[in-house]
Amino acid sequence: ILFVSLVTAAEFGAGLATASFCRDVDRNIVTYVRHLATDVDAEVVRFYVSGGAGRSRPLDELRRAGAALDSARLLADAPAAANCSGELGVSPALAASAPALHAAELALLPESLYPRYDAAVRRGVCETLVSGLAWLVLCQFVVGVICLPAQAFMAHRLLERAAAWR
């Protein structure tokens, strides 16, 4: 019973810590990242956790790269550069890199990342994990602290009766 009580208390503590973290999960995640990583990382996390409020340096850099790619494509397609770029294969290489850059930009949009964050952190950790730990603690307490002693008591009475009957 003591072991079950200790394990249940540890699980209850983990559940309380998780629930406490989830009271203001967005701010706690940003604070956690700020302590473990750089301010730039914390700024990026804050951008995505807030659903896109503010600016994202990776997204800005990706957009700058897209603009530079468009400029390079215009230069490569210019009549004066057409002969050189055609021989070097610059235009097809620039055209081939545009879809990958566009796909990366779509992947980094807050509309793409926030639903994943919401599903993993808010619903996965803050709802499912916390409620699962609560049910585990409750069931473990009932089985380990109430049913196990009751079973031991009933088994003792049964063995006493069996011994007296012989």
Side-chain angles (χ1 to χ4, degrees):
I1 294 175
L2 181 62
F3 178 72
V4 171
S5 298
L6 290 174
V7 170
T8 303
E11 290 167 353
F12 184 70
L16 281 178
T18 305
S20 174
F21 179 82
C22 288
R23 284 182 63 190
D24 192 5
V25 67
D26 296 342
R27 188 175 58 142
N28 289 333
I29 285 179
V30 171
T31 303
Y32 183 72
V33 169
R34 188 179 299 126
H35 288 325
L36 292 179
T38 66
D39 287 337
V40 173
D41 295 333
E43 179 184 319
V44 170
V45 168
R46 186 181 311 114
F47 174 77
Y48 287 110
V49 163
S50 68
R55 297 184 60 150
S56 167
R57 287 188 188 179
L59 198 54
D60 290 344
E61 292 296 324
L62 197 58
R63 287 178 178 151
R64 262 187 247 133
L69 180 68
D70 291 340
S71 297
R73 197 171 343 152
L74 287 175
L75 286 175
D77 290 341
N83 292 337
C84 284
S85 66
E87 292 173 8
L88 298 174
V90 174
S91 293
L94 291 174
S97 61
L101 199 60
H102 181 67
E105 183 177 349
L106 289 177
L108 287 178
L109 288 174
E111 298 83 25
S112 298
L113 289 178
Y114 186 77
R116 291 184 178 103
Y117 163 77
D118 187 52
V121 175
R122 291 181 183 274
R123 285 183 275 148
V125 173
C126 292
E127 291 176 12
T128 306
L129 180 68
V130 172
S131 66
L133 276 172
W135 277 109
L136 177 67
V137 166
L138 178 66
C139 292
Q140 198 166 338
F141 179 78
V142 168
V143 169
V145 177
I146 297 172
C147 293
L148 187 61
Q151 181 186 12
F153 176 73
M154 299 296 263
H156 178 69
R157 286 186 58 197
L158 178 67
L159 291 174
E160 280 182 340
R161 286 184 185 168
W165 186 67
R166 284 185 178 209

